[in-house]
Amino acid sequence: MTTADTTPPLRIGLLGTGPWARNTQAPALAAHPGVELNGVWGRRAEAADALATAHGTRAYTGEEGIDALLEASDAVAFALPPDVQAPLAVRAAEAGCHLLMDKPVATTVAGARAVAEAAEKASVASVVFCTLRFAPETSAWIAEQAAVDGWFTARAQWLGSLYAAGSDSEYADSPWRRDKGGLWDVGPHALSVLIPVLGDVEHLTAAAGPADTTHLILRHTSGASSTVTLGLSAPPGAAGVEIEVRGERGTASIPGWAGAETAFRGAVDALAEAVRTGVPHACDARFGLHLTELLAAAEQQAQAAG
């Protein structure tokens, strides 16, 4: 005879009502068996009402709405621009809420450091949603390659066509993406794969390419090197994601994955596990700070060289 699991669901409030919240986070949270989506906050009341109604929960808006949602929640998920996310994450941690953040945590080192320090001071769990670390297919591949020694080099390309001529993606309306480009938007994804496999980055060189493209050359603590190309303005025929490692055992390429909603459910599971055990996840606010440090250094180099 088995004993029924009486663990109460993790009450997670969602901050943000844009395309990412509508397409990925709200559906994943509402469908998760171990979670209660207990509210949606938005800067626009009509958007918060629409998203909350679609998923059978309560809408919040205004400054008082943030405080009310934090008080009612065990954790909060963020679907906001990074430099709006960061101070609200500090506020949430100080209110005792665990943090499920989008990448990048912030676009300044100071902003990301404030989040990491607030989470540590409040002893709340945190997870930064770098998609490939949580999609089942890619997370298994990363763990498999990280267990292998002898990698010599790696190549990562993450090219989107968000800003290519004729693009009609709703994500192209995001001001922060247009301002910061592929380095900040998709750079965290690539780095979150390369670092656990090849070791931390001990030296970085960056140069600007066409449009918003950035090229990186990285030397890792394992002795391996990697090259990374990031951008959101590639022609549609040139867009795609490739990550390949080469070493003593040959070549390994990252597999495809089912999609962002499935990966986000994995991130929810990771946060719940960190809450339950008290063991920090490898992709937590401190790791998010480190990614921000690397991206800021790369941006500075690319701008100086350009």
Side-chain angles (χ1 to χ4, degrees):
M1 182 176 178
T2 59
T3 302
D5 184 3
T6 58
T7 304
L10 191 67
R11 299 172 302 162
I12 300 184
L14 176 60
L15 297 174
T17 59
W20 192 237
R22 294 196 310 270
N23 298 336
T24 300
Q25 295 187 336
L29 291 168
H32 196 291
V35 162
E36 176 190 344
L37 174 58
N38 70 315
V40 173
W41 177 88
R43 286 172 284 191
R44 294 184 299 112
E46 62 274 20
D49 286 339
L51 190 57
T53 298
H55 295 285
T57 190
R58 179 179 174 184
Y60 296 80
T61 193
E63 284 296 307
E64 69 284 357
I66 295 174
D67 291 330
L69 183 55
L70 295 180
E71 184 176 356
S73 301
D74 303 311
V76 284
F78 295 85
L80 296 167
D83 293 326
V84 176
Q85 169 179 247
L88 287 179
V90 170
R91 186 168 164 182
E94 291 174 346
C97 291
H98 306 290
L99 309 174
L100 180 49
M101 294 173 286
D102 202 7
K103 54 74 211 164
V105 171
T107 63
T108 67
V109 173
R113 180 175 293 115
V115 174
E117 290 178 350
E120 290 179 3
K121 183 177 180 180
S123 298
V124 296
S126 59
V127 164
V128 179
F129 181 47
C130 294
T131 304
L132 303 187
R133 293 291 286 270
F134 300 101
E137 305 89 344
T138 52
S139 62
W141 183 88
I142 292 167
E144 181 181 351
Q145 310 321 315
V148 174
D149 293 326
W151 293 120
F152 183 69
T153 190
R155 175 182 60 86
Q157 288 193 134
W158 196 303
L159 293 172
S161 56
L162 203 62
Y163 299 123
S167 170
D168 60 356
S169 171
E170 59 185 338
Y171 296 102
D173 294 332
S174 168
W176 83 265
R177 282 188 177 87
R178 188 172 292 278
D179 179 47
K180 305 302 284 187
L183 174 66
W184 286 89
D185 188 25
V186 297
H189 293 312
L191 291 170
S192 74
V193 174
L194 295 172
I195 288 172
V197 175
L198 303 180
D200 201 1
V201 176
E202 60 181 17
H203 186 268
L204 178 153
T205 302
D212 74 308
T213 306
T214 303
H215 301 283
L216 308 179
I217 302 173
L218 310 175
R219 186 173 67 231
H220 298 265
T221 52
S222 66
S225 64
S226 63
T227 60
V228 185
T229 298
L230 308 162
L232 299 175
S233 304
V241 178
E242 297 178 4
I243 302 178
E244 175 188 84
V245 290
R246 292 175 174 265
E248 294 173 357
R249 300 193 186 188
T251 302
S253 297
I254 200 164
W257 61 97
E261 186 177 336
T262 299
F264 191 74
R265 287 199 297 268
V268 174
D269 291 338
L271 181 69
E273 180 70 5
V275 171
R276 184 183 68 81
T277 64
V279 177
H281 191 272
C283 203
D284 64 357
R286 183 58 63 177
F287 184 69
L289 167 60
H290 186 44
L291 292 179
T292 304
E293 292 170 336
L294 292 172
L295 296 170
E299 180 180 64
Q300 185 176 25
Q301 278 199 32
Q303 290 175 345

